[in-house]
Amino acid sequence: MLRPQRNEFRRLLATAALGLLAVTACANNSSTTTTTSGVIKIGILSDCAGDFGSFYNDDIGGALSVLAAHYGGKATGSLPKDGMTGAKIAGKDIQIVGFGCSDSTANKAIEETRRLVEQLGADILIGPLSGDEGIAVANYAKTNQPNKTFLNGISGAQEATLKVQAPNFFRFNPDGAQWSAGLGSYAYNKLGWRTAAVIGDDYAFPYTSLAGFIAEFCAIGGNVTKRVWPPLGTTDFSSFVAQLPTNVDGTFVGIGGAGLITFLKQYQQANGAISSKHFMGNLFWIDPQLLTAIGTPLVGAVAASGIAADDTSAQTKAYVQELSVYPATQKDAASVFTLGYWSAMTALGMALTSVNGDISGNQKALQAALAKIVIDGPYGKISLDSNRQAIADNWVTQVTPPPAGSNVPGLKTILQIPKVDQTFGGFFSSSTPNLDRSNPPCAKKTPPPWVGNEVPVNFG
Amino acid sequence: MAPGILLALLGVAVVAWIAYNGVQNGKLFWVVTLNGITLAALFFVVAAGFTLIFGLMRVVNMAHGSLFLLAGYIAFTLQGTLYGVSSNLLSGTPATVVSWIVPLVVATIVIGLAGVLMQQVFLRWNQGQDLRQALITIAISVILADQMVAHFGGIAESIQQPAAWPDSVTVLGVHYGFFRLVVVVGAAIVIGGLLFLVIKRTRFGMIIRAGVDDRSMVSALGVNIQVVFAGAFLIGALLAGLAGVLGGTMLAVQPGNDSAFLLDSLIVVIIGGMGSLGGAAIGSLALGLVSSYSNVYLNFGTTDLTNYSILLTFILVVAMLAVRPLGLFGRPA
């Protein structure tokens, strides 16, 4: 057979298809199931690939730092992923069975959760990172593992707690909408926006993040005229940039992770510089890693999250000090990723201490203790509602020009939105439609309770 | 032929829908069309190298995307270390023409040589065993992807275009990115022209064309096919490297781009037919326009289906395989 035939081309195509499958499916088959005795086994799940892969060490580092600072944990390497040994809570040895490495997709998160819980025998899981992953893990906790305990890492889709309501899934971080509290009012009342467009990645977290802005902005009287949803992982945003209307007062950007840099670059190429009076962003705009990568184009713009980056209170200093075991994580102390995993491990440590390390009886005592935990966190108290979802303060922050000799902008916290809850003062409930590309609708009604009651702050 | 008629009807409906929307908002239509064309230009540079290797050597080089991404990282690193260009997005030290061209040339050459090395070490001794070769190149791509994440991190980086170049040009009343429209499309046209000349007008090109049709006969005629293979791999890898720097400047350098552009190259080759330069050009244009239009026009009043736009590129592939299993310009013999 000397000449290439149709069959050969087909075989090559089949080979290529098989190859792609092999590249995307990366199986993990190590299996060591053991039973629990005097040891409490913890698995930590984050993303090491995909749009949020760069937050891997911030996440794991945030959690492990708590063990090092309070429970005698010793780092076995300079990076969090190198592991930690020797921690004891209430006399019980804490064993970190492994780190889950997901890629922001629900499938991969479940695959890694199963590896940590079913194969490596974790009693307690901390994680995941991203919105769709959080919904999947909460469902897994409720349906497959009712007798184990799950503490969310930093995923922020509303559905994971408000809708799934797994009795053994605890989230000590606000969801995306809570993190946007205060921005709709700021846009309407301070920036004078009456019409706005929104753009966000096409999955559960940005739906939630933008829902917080839309609900508040529209309740006061604003109108959101266009919603654009590029898929997560988009590299060419030009066609989505082209769809953003120019006849609106402002645009709210909910593109996260690696995509934000690509989006802003392509927006600038198409439309010129970003005007801080006509743009607003969600928590990614003020994340330390992204702020460093993006630089000065965002100066003047306002965003919000559960962090007051310039707060220098004793509480904040103590938190930053706790992270000193991992300098790279400490540098990103003012990142929700670090704070979220830190909060989860802090709550777990407090709860385990209060039940004397007892995880027998299907962990029901531990879960009851967790539900009552109040964390005295670096940026305010964090407590849980009846769906085991955090109630916390939110902070509206402005990006300021870089200090002399640097090209990384600074941050100035301008407003405190106290005690934001997941229902957004009654906007969302277990019976409201799931947030998606068109929900919530834009409707004028009684604004959330904090509108007009924001607390101006100045940390100097 | 029923599937043909069905597809033709579908095609007419799609064109009519795009035309209707184009009339409604001409400016958006023009921008989206330019997006598709500029994206196609980038696809063409990547896929031209892929199709050359695929067509001549029957090697499905699954590491082609990794070479593309690695080139971007090399150029990005060189821009920072050699010239102190800030990695901040459009702030800090700006790039000059020299500090863009030099990293481009170095990265392209390094990737070209890396490609030849890969071919000599991993693919020379197992010629004709497609499955084994595909698996080896997959292994290389997985290893490279992990090493790049470990070394460069997960945050997207961008190669800065020279500050002296304008940000945008005005075409038919629309401001459009200068780099995308002039540099990337220009590069694709120049490369397409050069490759055309090499393949149609030189002895080396003649051997490549003969090799695509019948390797064994070319070998039997006394041509040292090993040298030809190495040459083809060099050109293919050079193109991946060049595209990586162009793509890193036009879009971004980020994990995941390797598999994304590998998939795009495969689609282009399936549409255009393996080993065909003209096929790669038309395949790229089809893919670029379809993905660009579907991101915007898959929107029917209140029903917004743009999140299914990725499916449309696969429908394009399915349609092509149904009507012309060898691609537009693929030849059975």
Side-chain angles (χ1 to χ4, degrees):
Chain A
M1 185 79 268
L2 296 177
R3 294 175 169 192
Q5 297 289 315
R6 278 183 167 210
N7 282 344
E8 182 176 357
F9 185 62
R10 281 185 183 155
R11 200 171 76 241
L12 286 170
L13 280 184
T15 307
L18 271 178
L20 276 180
L21 275 178
V23 169
T24 43
C26 211
N28 250 312
N29 286 322
S30 58
S31 170
T32 51
T33 308
T34 47
T35 51
T36 314
S37 53
V39 177
I40 298 174
K41 296 182 172 184
I42 300 176
I44 302 178
L45 170 65
S46 171
D47 283 7
C48 69
D51 262 42
F52 309 107
S54 65
F55 300 108
Y56 190 57
N57 277 309
D58 287 353
D59 289 347
I60 305 176
L64 293 185
S65 297
V66 177
L67 295 180
H70 296 288
Y71 304 107
K74 295 273 177 288
T76 37
S78 61
L79 286 178
K81 66 179 179 189
D82 297 329
M84 181 166 281
T85 54
K88 274 180 189 287
I89 299 180
K92 292 276 181 77
D93 287 327
I94 300 298
Q95 186 192 346
I96 304 294
V97 295
F99 303 115
C101 159
S102 182
D103 60 3
S104 74
T105 62
N107 282 346
K108 187 71 178 164
I110 288 300
E111 188 186 317
E112 286 294 90
T113 302
R114 296 187 90 112
R115 179 172 70 88
L116 293 168
V117 174
E118 296 172 21
Q119 293 179 7
L120 301 180
D123 301 304
I124 297 159
L125 184 89
I126 294 182
L129 178 151
S130 183
D132 285 355
E133 298 177 329
I135 299 171
V137 171
N139 275 307
Y140 171 84
K142 184 178 175 180
T143 315
N144 299 49
Q145 301 288 349
N147 300 328
K148 297 202 170 186
T149 302
F150 295 76
L151 291 100
N152 184 59
I154 193 62
S155 85
Q158 185 185 75
E159 216 179 314
T161 44
L162 189 67
K163 301 292 171 138
V164 179
Q165 300 187 353
N168 53 338
F169 184 85
F170 300 82
R171 180 152 73 182
F172 284 90
N173 62 276
D175 73 10
Q178 292 173 275
W179 274 323
S180 293
L183 290 178
S185 164
Y186 192 91
Y188 192 92
N189 293 319
K190 292 286 189 335
L191 298 177
W193 294 9
R194 293 298 176 267
T195 53
V198 298
I199 180 167
D201 303 301
D202 195 9
Y203 74 103
F205 175 72
Y207 297 158
T208 309
S209 175
L210 296 188
F213 173 79
I214 293 168
E216 191 173 314
F217 183 67
C218 293
I220 305 169
N223 189 15
V224 172
T225 58
K226 178 82 181 168
R227 308 178 191 202
V228 181
W229 304 102
L232 185 65
T234 294
T235 49
D236 184 7
F237 283 96
S238 54
S239 294
F240 301 101
V241 168
Q243 291 178 71
L244 287 172
T246 47
N247 59 348
V248 288
D249 299 323
T251 302
F252 188 92
V253 178
I255 307 274
L260 177 60
I261 299 166
T262 319
F263 167 77
L264 289 173
K265 179 174 174 175
Q266 291 173 21
Y267 185 90
Q268 293 200 357
Q269 280 175 359
N271 297 343
I274 287 158
S275 156
S276 60
K277 295 277 172 275
H278 303 285
F279 271 86
M280 209 177 236
N282 66 0
L283 72 163
F284 288 104
W285 283 41
I286 45 178
D287 180 84
Q289 278 192 26
L290 287 165
L291 202 58
T292 307
I294 293 166
T296 49
L298 298 182
V299 167
V302 165
S305 81
I307 284 184
D310 51 347
D311 185 357
T312 51
S313 65
Q315 206 76 348
T316 312
K317 282 182 180 153
Y319 158 72
V320 176
Q321 184 55 34
E322 279 194 26
L323 301 170
S324 60
V325 59
Y326 298 119
T329 304
Q330 191 181 31
K331 188 168 59 64
D332 291 341
S335 161
V336 293
F337 293 93
T338 311
L339 179 66
Y341 279 77
W342 177 90
S343 303
M345 188 63 95
T346 299
L348 178 62
M350 291 164 72
L352 277 174
T353 305
S354 76
V355 297
N356 242 331
D358 180 14
I359 56 168
S360 62
N362 295 332
Q363 308 188 10
K364 291 296 173 262
L366 171 66
Q367 291 170 7
L370 271 172
K372 291 192 215 103
I373 293 290
V374 177
I375 301 175
D376 203 1
Y379 311 108
K381 284 189 167 41
I382 304 171
S383 57
L384 294 187
D385 67 15
S386 57
N387 293 327
R388 293 152 298 283
Q389 163 65 39
I391 300 170
D393 293 353
N394 204 44
W395 304 88
V396 177
T397 303
Q398 188 160 33
V399 183
T400 57
S406 164
N407 57 10
V408 179
L411 292 174
K412 180 171 172 45
T413 310
I414 50 179
L415 295 173
Q416 178 188 17
I417 317 293
K419 289 204 168 75
V420 179
D421 75 311
Q422 185 175 36
T423 70
F424 231 59
F427 277 68
F428 305 116
S429 71
S430 56
S431 59
T432 49
N434 281 350
L435 304 177
D436 58 21
R437 294 159 70 94
S438 49
N439 275 306
C442 185
K444 190 172 192 316
K445 52 179 167 180
T446 313
W450 53 82
V451 172
N453 298 313
E454 301 95 340
V455 184
V457 290
N458 186 357
F459 294 110
Chain B
M1 187 178 160
I5 295 167
L6 206 65
L7 284 171
L9 284 176
L10 191 68
V12 169
V14 168
V15 171
W17 176 246
I18 292 174
Y20 168 75
N21 277 284
V23 172
Q24 300 279 310
N25 185 346
K27 194 178 161 200
L28 178 66
F29 173 76
W30 184 224
V31 171
V32 174
T33 306
L34 287 177
N35 289 340
I37 292 171
T38 49
L39 196 57
L42 186 60
F43 288 157
F44 172 74
V45 183
V46 194
F50 187 76
T51 194
L52 194 69
I53 295 171
F54 196 3
L56 177 66
M57 305 167 64
R58 305 291 183 271
V59 174
V60 190
N61 180 15
M62 303 294 283
H64 199 70
S66 311
L67 295 177
F68 168 89
L69 182 58
L70 184 58
Y73 276 124
I74 291 174
F76 167 76
T77 310
L78 286 176
Q79 237 191 10
T81 51
L82 285 185
Y83 298 99
V85 173
S86 166
S87 62
N88 268 162
L89 180 73
L90 302 184
S91 62
T93 317
T96 61
V97 176
V98 173
S99 64
W100 185 73
I101 296 272
V102 173
L104 170 98
V105 173
V106 175
T108 305
I109 292 173
V110 168
I111 291 301
L113 296 178
V116 174
L117 186 73
M118 185 173 103
Q119 189 258 338
Q120 290 294 317
V121 176
F122 297 108
L123 303 173
R124 187 176 167 151
W125 51 273
N126 49 20
Q127 254 152 31
Q129 306 177 37
D130 346 314
L131 187 59
R132 176 178 275 185
Q133 293 192 323
L135 288 173
I136 289 174
T137 52
I138 288 170
I140 295 172
S141 75
V142 171
I143 292 169
L144 281 178
D146 277 355
Q147 291 307 311
M148 285 188 276
V149 169
H151 192 75
F152 298 104
I155 282 273
E157 308 286 5
S158 59
I159 304 167
Q160 307 292 339
Q161 70 172 65
W165 292 353
D167 272 344
S168 60
V169 284
T170 307
V171 215
L172 294 185
V174 170
H175 291 292
Y176 199 79
F178 171 83
F179 188 85
R180 284 185 82 116
L181 191 58
V182 178
V183 182
V184 176
V185 174
I189 292 172
V190 169
I191 286 164
L194 284 177
L195 278 177
F196 179 82
L197 286 179
V198 167
I199 287 181
K200 295 283 182 191
R201 296 273 184 272
T202 66
R203 184 179 146 74
F204 178 70
M206 210 189 304
I207 295 169
I208 287 189
R209 273 183 293 142
V212 168
D213 282 347
D214 196 330
R215 272 176 296 170
S216 314
M217 184 55 85
V218 173
S219 203
L221 287 172
V223 173
N224 185 346
I225 200 80
Q226 290 303 339
V227 174
V228 178
F229 281 177
F233 227 96
L234 175 70
I235 296 176
L238 283 174
L239 289 172
L242 178 66
V245 183
L246 290 175
T249 317
M250 170 173 145
L251 307 170
V253 191
Q254 68 189 66
N257 274 6
D258 45 356
S259 46
F261 277 83
L262 173 68
L263 184 61
D264 292 334
S265 301
L266 273 168
I267 294 175
V268 166
V269 171
I270 290 169
I271 297 172
M274 64 176 174
S276 161
L277 205 57
I282 292 183
S284 303
L285 205 56
L287 179 61
L289 288 175
V290 164
S291 55
S292 194
Y293 286 142
S294 61
N295 279 335
V296 178
Y297 293 130
L298 219 53
N299 199 337
F300 308 93
T302 51
T303 318
D304 178 3
L305 299 176
T306 51
N307 46 340
Y308 297 110
S309 64
I310 183 79
L311 284 180
L312 228 64
T313 55
F314 293 114
I315 291 175
L316 187 68
V317 169
V318 170
M320 184 53 68
L321 287 175
V323 179
R324 283 187 70 92
L326 291 168
L328 280 177
F329 296 95
R331 284 175 296 156

